[in-house]
Amino acid sequence: MSQIVWIARHGNRLDFVNPDWFLTAERPYDPPLSDGGVMQAQQLGQRLKSENIAHIFASPFLRTVQTANEVAEALDLPIKVESGLSEWLNPQWMPSMPEKLPLEVLQEQYPRIDLSYTSRVIAEYPETGEKALLRSGETAKRLVDEFSEDILLVGHGASVIGTAMGLLGGTNQPEINATLCCLVKIVRQDREWIMELNGDTSHLSETEKVIRFH
């Protein structure tokens, strides 16, 4: 049995480009993509257009939904919003559970969101870095058990690393490269998962030189 799991991080964030945005934002811990981030997401969609992806899963944060939406437009697929792919809910970054747009409101803006899908794993605030990685890894394992076709997971730095580690297992795996709008490609061959791409950004016209997680 073979299956491909593509894992992508969201495109560039508005608050990475304009840090002052945070000071007056209605939802300061749920920034949208920057203009450059939208372009990165569109380039990601073009990169994946020829792949045989059957399902797209995205974290409920705005930047991941926006990134997934560009890919969903290119592939003509719905988006399944999955809490288990959420940002690391780090209390040192966020004083409380970050406020996000309700799914119904998100779906008005991004009609490809499938409201009939319910998250298989719920991310809970607060969490340690270890817990965030384990939660993301558990999410990936549940999704591949339930969905046997090729899938795309759109998450954050921590959830890209966590989902990849969850599938690959073991302690001798290389460090996962989770740069903005990167691609990780993991292939199941029989019972073993093999990483074929690690943080690939060859589809992007602009990349970051320093990986930022927050």
Side-chain angles (χ1 to χ4, degrees):
M1 181 172 62
S2 66
Q3 181 183 19
I4 298 174
V5 176
W6 298 90
I7 309 169
R9 188 179 175 190
H10 58 78
N12 203 358
R13 299 161 46 153
L14 182 57
D15 59 336
F16 280 5
V17 175
N18 177 18
D20 288 343
W21 172 88
F22 177 88
L23 301 175
T24 57
E26 187 178 347
R27 292 176 304 281
Y29 300 103
D30 189 23
L33 295 178
S34 66
D35 289 345
V38 173
M39 183 176 70
Q40 289 177 323
Q42 290 169 345
Q43 291 171 341
L44 177 66
Q46 291 306 305
R47 164 65 180 85
L48 293 172
K49 197 171 183 178
S50 60
E51 303 297 341
N52 193 31
I53 294 168
H55 302 280
I56 297 174
F57 301 87
S59 152
F61 285 78
L62 180 56
R63 58 193 179 276
T64 38
V65 170
Q66 289 177 312
T67 302
N69 189 66
E70 296 296 339
V71 181
E73 289 287 337
L75 276 60
D76 191 22
L77 287 172
I79 301 167
K80 297 175 174 66
V81 175
E82 171 56 61
S83 174
L85 299 175
S86 288
E87 173 70 283
W88 171 12
L89 301 178
N90 183 344
Q92 294 184 323
W93 295 350
M94 315 163 190
S96 60
M97 182 71 172
E99 184 182 349
K100 303 180 294 296
L101 287 170
L103 263 186
E104 291 75 14
V105 176
L106 267 178
Q107 202 259 354
E108 289 174 8
Q109 298 180 31
Y110 304 101
R112 288 189 175 274
I113 290 176
D114 177 5
L115 291 180
S116 70
Y117 177 82
T118 56
S119 292
R120 285 7 184 202
V121 175
I122 302 298
E124 297 179 352
Y125 178 93
E127 61 184 358
T128 62
E130 181 183 17
K131 184 177 177 183
L133 294 177
L134 290 172
R135 177 255 297 165
S136 303
E138 176 63 23
T139 303
K141 288 186 279 191
R142 288 199 193 183
L143 293 178
V144 297
D145 283 346
E146 185 174 346
F147 299 88
S148 59
E149 298 160 292
D150 294 356
I151 63 175
L152 168 67
L153 312 178
V154 183
H156 309 260
S159 51
V160 168
I161 294 169
T163 50
M165 289 174 57
L167 294 178
L168 293 168
T171 56
N172 297 321
Q173 300 295 340
E175 183 177 344
I176 308 298
N177 180 2
T179 188
L180 290 171
C181 222
C182 70
L183 266 180
V184 175
K185 180 183 181 182
I186 301 179
V187 180
R188 174 157 54 186
Q189 298 171 341
D190 297 320
R191 296 181 179 274
E192 186 178 12
W193 291 96
I194 306 293
M195 182 162 58
E196 292 191 356
L197 290 175
N198 183 359
D200 180 50
T201 55
S202 60
H203 50 285
L204 300 178
S205 56
E206 292 185 11
T207 58
E208 60 177 349
K209 294 178 175 59
V210 178
I211 298 177
R212 289 182 285 178
F213 289 99
H214 181 70

